[in-house]
Amino acid sequence: MAKKQKMIYDTDRYLLPYKEVIDARHRKIREKFDRIARDGSLSAGLNNHLYYGLHHNPDGSWVFREWAPNANRIYLIGEFNNWKRVPSYELKPIGGGNWEIVLPEMFLHHQALYKLYIEWPGGGGERLPAYARRCVQDPVSKVFCAQVWDPAQAYSWKHRRPGKKKHPLIYECHIGMCMEKEGVATFEDFRTVVLPKIADLGYDVIQIMALQEHPYYGSFGYQVANFYALSSRFGTPEEFKRLVDDAHGKGLAVVMDIVHSHSVENEAEGLGRFDGREDLYFYSGPQGHHPAWGSRCFDYGKDETLYFLLSNCKFWMEEYRLDGFRFDGVTSMIYWNHGLGVDFCGYDIYFNKGVDENALIYLALANMLVHELDRNALTIAEDVSGMAGLAAPYAAGGIGFDFRMAMGIADHWIKWIKEKKDEQWSPGEIWYELTNKREDEQTVSYAECHDQALVGDKTLIFRLIDKEMYFSMSKDSQSLTVDRGIALHKLIRLVTLATSGGGYLNFMGNEFGHPEWIDFPREGNGWSYKYARRQWSLAEPDYLRYRYLRNFDKAMVHYTRSRGILNVKPLLLTADESKKVLIFSRGNTIFAFNFNPVDSFADYSFSAPAGEYVEVFDSDAPEFDGFGRLKAGTHYFTRPEKCPNGNQDLSDTLTLYLPGRCALILEKV
């Protein structure tokens, strides 16, 4: 007899009072699945992208379809008819709010520009098709148009998908700002210059931002207008496919930062008042407008919206062979108040009437779909609320994400650096905040992501070193501020990775302490690209200290991967508040951190699993811009005596030399 599936309230007794809500949510997801699925396959019932939009038929003709139930008339306008509304390009209503036109092959050609002109009661206007796969901006007028994309030869894929990434080491990046030159970089720039750097560093997942077309470059890709269109400012669909293909050839998975949490308000470029109605894809009234982001909020309870977004997931995975998604703005999606001004403390907020159950149903179905399309796919939720069950399996009463972002960790590092002196840092608090995760859910930890690098905020290296970044990053410079910043930058990143609950993330360039912030061209900075780029050359010369931070990050990531460190849960050995020492183990590896700003300890003793250990590397090594106070390859032996300092479940003691502001890794022989 099969064992009954344990539900999330079976493993977490604090969820028992919400059993009825969890079960009801579970049933609603199943009911929606059954309505959409065909013969048990969710994917088989989700093909809007194959029906709507522009398609080239096998007989050479073209067919275009659009859903616009409030429209009176729809015309296809473009270069081919001098942008005029002419009868031969008028769509016909075919029922259910759908419109269609079939055109002979000679009427359209590859790269032709086009739009829709939609008439509705009391008005009309030019619109970009909701399912447009390519939209381009005129460099002079700045106007966006849809573009026929039908190259003579389809891209020929060379490499298989890289397979399951059980513990992803994620390199978060942005195509447009990936090069040193001032301007918008391309898919080819990224593929030829940045991709080899990522592979060399040891990361195994690339998380790419801003891929969906967005009218305003400075929005960092968050104000999406065209959900099915790859941003043309970075290159062509074939060039992006080649990037993904090359990444797969290097064993790297490619995850897209997908924005289904809201849509740009724009009417000329986006879905705003597409057919004259305010609520075509969105909630009506105030609920359909995001008060903080100035954008439109999807009505996830409307079937047409649900099919639009779910088909969008399928389209990106099938068309570009992506390996999964990071879902942006999940907190905003799942709460009617978008999580604004809310202190998320206590379980009640996850199960009361403040939750948009429609959004949770959509997210659960999206996870089912993604994993049906590729069982090795990766889904990550960006949620600051900590909603219980978000990254638990659907079968257990969860929503089904593989991972959730551990967003509070970065906030705590900022808090500790801003509000406390080094000598006030608490090893116990660091341990708690870095490991305080739900047992039934996996997380992606990070010390900082792109959020902390944006103008108005500060990266960790800038918080630690500040203006000394401009004057004292040479190896010849003497600066206690820089010495401190370099040392802590390494410790912070290593302890965050080493305590991770499943995965780890770094934003492009932060591994070598990229100076300054990210500021996209805008009116306030004279439309400058100076800060919307990455200065890779800083990490090359041996006389600049950036190079050694990169060396450390590379060693840290490669060691974690090669030893499977994240396969085993961390075990606390000691959190010494008086000496500022934190030591823990993962399997046969011991991580020892001395955060003390003043004192080194010649013979620091703590409880440890019995055995012989060898030092494999430490943050103080010269190749990592350290002082060389330790020696890799040194062997240490435990003594069979109980140590009063540390984990009292262990009966052996290990003694180390622990220099100040230093971390070392020991491996059991």
Side-chain angles (χ1 to χ4, degrees):
M1 186 174 177
K3 286 181 81 174
K4 186 174 182 284
Q5 170 70 51
K6 277 196 170 185
M7 303 294 283
I8 55 176
Y9 46 72
D10 294 324
T11 54
D12 181 354
R13 62 186 178 87
Y14 293 107
L15 288 175
L16 274 174
Y18 310 100
K19 179 181 183 299
E20 288 186 14
V21 179
I22 294 169
D23 288 343
R25 186 178 287 172
H26 190 79
R27 286 193 301 273
K28 288 175 185 175
I29 294 167
R30 187 71 217 182
E31 288 166 5
K32 189 69 78 170
F33 176 96
D34 290 338
R35 277 186 55 197
I36 297 173
R38 295 181 184 175
D39 298 323
S41 168
L42 195 58
S43 172
L46 293 165
N47 292 298
N48 276 30
H49 56 296
L50 301 179
Y51 181 77
Y52 294 108
L54 182 65
H55 300 280
H56 210 166
N57 290 325
D59 64 3
S61 65
W62 296 89
V63 62
F64 178 88
R65 300 185 189 93
E66 191 64 79
W67 179 64
N70 194 47
N72 291 334
R73 285 184 171 179
I74 302 179
Y75 295 91
L76 201 64
I77 61 173
E79 295 176 321
F80 39 80
N81 59 16
N82 204 26
W83 302 98
K84 301 294 185 183
R85 285 173 270 167
V86 296
S88 56
Y89 285 90
E90 183 177 354
L91 279 70
K92 306 300 181 188
I94 57 174
N98 295 311
W99 298 75
E100 180 184 83
I101 186 171
V102 179
L103 296 168
E105 185 169 21
M106 67 186 75
F107 277 47
L108 295 175
H109 60 84
H110 178 51
Q111 295 188 314
L113 301 179
Y114 71 100
K115 291 185 178 183
L116 300 177
Y117 191 94
I118 302 180
E119 297 179 3
W120 55 79
E126 293 182 355
R127 296 290 187 264
L128 298 186
Y131 289 82
R133 297 191 180 191
R134 183 165 173 83
C135 299
V136 295
Q137 186 178 30
D138 185 275
V140 179
S141 69
K142 305 301 181 185
V143 171
F144 274 87
C145 293
Q147 186 178 44
V148 177
W149 198 257
D150 187 44
Q153 189 169 354
Y155 182 81
S156 179
W157 294 91
K158 300 174 183 63
H159 302 288
R160 294 181 177 180
R161 296 176 188 267
K164 186 80 171 175
K165 303 297 182 185
K166 187 178 177 184
H167 297 292
L169 299 168
I170 303 169
Y171 199 84
E172 183 185 47
C173 49
H174 183 283
I175 301 295
M177 57 169 287
C178 76
M179 294 294 284
E180 193 142 353
K181 64 185 179 185
E182 292 188 32
V184 180
T186 67
F187 293 128
E188 278 294 286
D189 290 330
F190 187 92
R191 184 184 69 82
T192 57
V193 176
V194 183
L195 204 55
K197 295 180 188 293
I198 299 171
D200 179 63
L201 287 168
Y203 292 88
D204 58 11
V205 176
I206 307 170
Q207 180 177 297
I208 308 180
M209 305 180 63
L211 286 175
Q212 294 167 293
E213 191 60 86
H214 46 291
Y216 179 44
Y217 185 49
S219 75
F220 222 137
Y222 286 133
Q223 294 276 343
V224 173
N226 314 107
F227 289 80
Y228 284 82
L230 181 72
S231 183
S232 61
R233 57 173 58 89
F234 306 136
T236 68
E238 286 66 41
E239 287 167 341
F240 181 58
K241 288 175 182 178
R242 190 177 179 192
L243 186 164
V244 174
D245 207 5
D246 277 16
H248 287 169
K250 297 179 186 298
L252 299 165
V254 182
V255 169
M256 170 182 170
D257 193 87
I258 198 166
V259 180
H260 282 176
S261 46
H262 63 137
S263 174
V264 70
E265 278 197 338
N266 301 35
E267 296 174 8
E269 298 92 356
L271 297 173
R273 288 205 322 131
F274 184 76
D275 64 353
R277 281 178 54 183
E278 183 196 33
D279 61 347
L280 186 66
Y281 288 98
F282 311 113
Y283 286 117
S284 59
Q287 202 61 60
H289 297 264
H290 199 293
W293 296 346
S295 54
R296 300 304 313 277
C297 300
F298 285 110
D299 181 349
Y300 303 101
K302 182 179 283 189
D303 280 352
E304 291 83 359
T305 302
L306 200 63
Y307 278 77
F308 176 81
L309 295 174
L310 289 171
S311 296
N312 190 235
C313 295
K314 182 177 179 180
F315 165 76
W316 284 101
M317 288 192 71
E318 291 192 337
E319 182 70 16
Y320 296 107
R321 295 201 180 181
L322 297 179
D323 302 293
F325 303 101
R326 187 200 82 144
F327 283 78
D328 175 71
V330 167
T331 307
S332 177
M333 297 171 71
I334 61 181
Y335 300 101
W336 291 112
N337 60 17
H338 309 295
L340 298 173
V342 179
D343 183 11
F344 292 99
C345 53
Y347 279 8
D348 184 60
I349 201 166
Y350 306 145
F351 304 105
N352 62 27
K353 292 183 179 179
V355 174
D356 182 353
E357 297 291 338
N358 293 326
L360 283 176
I361 290 170
Y362 161 69
L363 290 169
L365 293 175
N367 275 283
M368 291 177 182
L369 173 65
V370 169
H371 292 108
E372 181 184 315
L373 291 168
D374 179 7
R375 59 189 177 89
N376 293 322
L378 181 63
T379 58
I380 306 167
E382 189 220 18
D383 167 49
V384 72
S385 77
M387 174 176 274
L390 197 63
Y394 163 75
I399 303 303
F401 281 98
D402 296 306
F403 293 87
R404 66 191 315 149
M405 302 292 289
M407 301 180 72
I409 290 175
D411 292 338
H412 277 95
W413 282 122
I414 292 170
K415 178 181 176 182
W416 293 325
I417 292 171
K418 280 178 64 176
E419 299 178 5
K420 296 183 178 182
K421 297 178 180 178
D422 295 17
E423 55 267 28
Q424 295 174 318
W425 287 17
S426 163
E429 184 183 10
I430 291 172
W431 170 259
Y432 175 78
E433 296 299 347
L434 267 57
T435 60
N436 180 27
K437 304 173 179 75
R438 295 186 59 81
E439 288 290 324
D440 56 351
E441 301 186 29
Q442 292 199 96
T443 58
V444 173
S445 295
Y446 58 96
E448 54 185 347
C449 67
H450 71 275
D451 288 331
Q452 288 72 40
L454 290 170
V455 66
D457 206 338
K458 285 185 176 182
T459 60
L460 289 179
I461 199 74
F462 237 132
R463 290 186 182 280
L464 292 165
I465 298 178
D466 205 23
K467 64 181 184 295
E468 292 291 314
M469 289 284 289
Y470 297 111
F471 310 111
S472 306
M473 287 300 283
S474 167
K475 286 280 286 180
D476 296 332
S477 299
Q478 300 295 316
S479 170
L480 293 176
T481 299
V482 174
D483 288 344
R484 169 186 179 265
I486 294 288
L488 289 179
H489 193 265
K490 291 181 286 187
L491 265 63
I492 288 169
R493 299 176 87 77
L494 179 59
V495 75
T496 303
L497 170 55
T499 54
S500 165
Y504 175 75
L505 178 141
N506 165 60
F507 179 67
M508 179 172 67
N510 283 359
E511 71 276 1
F512 65 84
H514 196 284
E516 301 174 330
W517 48 81
I518 300 167
D519 191 11
F520 282 88
R522 55 188 172 87
E523 189 174 5
N525 65 14
W527 302 103
S528 170
Y529 288 89
K530 183 179 180 180
Y531 299 111
R533 60 195 180 109
R534 295 284 89 176
Q535 299 178 64
W536 304 108
S537 62
L538 292 175
E540 294 306 322
D542 58 6
Y543 58 83
L544 292 179
R545 306 182 80 168
Y546 302 102
R547 177 189 183 114
Y548 304 96
L549 288 177
R550 184 190 65 185
N551 291 347
F552 179 78
D553 197 87
K554 178 179 175 179
M556 173 184 84
V557 170
H558 274 280
Y559 180 79
T560 303
R561 276 187 66 184
S562 65
R563 297 299 193 273
I565 295 298
L566 303 186
N567 290 328
V568 186
K569 285 179 61 175
L571 172 69
L572 180 63
L573 301 180
T574 187
D576 191 327
E577 299 295 337
S578 62
K579 292 185 169 63
K580 305 304 174 188
V581 170
L582 174 64
I583 304 176
F584 56 90
S585 65
R586 288 193 91 143
N588 290 325
T589 302
I590 290 177
F591 296 85
F593 295 82
N594 182 4
F595 288 98
N596 200 301
V598 178
D599 294 330
S600 297
F601 305 107
D603 51 359
Y604 188 86
S605 297
F606 61 97
S607 300
E612 175 187 354
Y613 294 86
V614 61
E615 184 197 318
V616 289
F617 78 88
D618 66 87
S619 66
D620 200 50
E623 61 264 36
F624 306 141
D625 196 21
F627 296 101
R629 292 169 289 179
L630 291 162
K631 184 179 179 182
T634 301
H635 285 250
Y636 299 88
F637 299 84
T638 58
R639 303 187 306 276
E641 57 186 61
K642 204 169 188 67
C643 181
N645 179 27
N647 192 321
Q648 294 305 293
D649 292 334
L650 300 171
S651 56
D652 282 61
T653 296
L654 189 61
T655 300
L656 304 175
Y657 168 41
L658 278 182
R661 289 194 184 126
C662 176
L664 66 151
I665 299 179
L666 305 174
E667 202 171 86
K668 199 169 187 179
V669 176

